[in-house]
Amino acid sequence: MRVMITGVTGQLGHDIYNELIKRGVHREDIYAPTHKELDLKEPLDVLEHVINFFPDVILPCADYTAVDKV
């Protein structure tokens, strides 16, 4: 199974990544780009990453925490 995780630098994404490893998912089957590598506000960037990695599952763990700076 190939898994893509957004928000891996946050608490939830980090914990899910570690749990997948503990459950036997190989590191090469987990794609966890940082916010610098993948801009979730750019649909074509997201599409390119999904097409290149071709995950079975996408776990959206990214969030926007500075809501007062919108």
Side-chain angles (χ1 to χ4, degrees):
M1 174 174 49
R2 295 170 60 83
V3 180
M4 179 175 173
I5 305 171
T6 63
V8 74
T9 57
Q11 182 178 357
L12 178 61
H14 177 77
D15 288 348
I16 287 176
Y17 178 88
N18 288 334
E19 187 64 30
L20 289 170
I21 298 297
K22 282 184 0 185
R23 292 180 182 228
V25 178
H26 297 279
R27 291 181 196 278
E28 61 269 7
D29 291 328
I30 301 172
Y31 180 54
T34 65
H35 64 278
K36 292 179 182 177
E37 298 168 325
L38 172 62
D39 186 353
L40 293 174
K41 296 178 299 218
E42 296 295 331
L44 292 179
D45 192 28
V46 174
L47 181 61
E48 180 182 339
H49 285 258
V50 170
I51 288 171
N52 287 337
F53 184 69
F54 203 69
D56 297 303
V57 175
I58 299 174
L59 301 175
C61 300
D63 64 351
Y64 185 71
T65 56
V67 294
D68 57 336
K69 294 183 181 182
V70 174

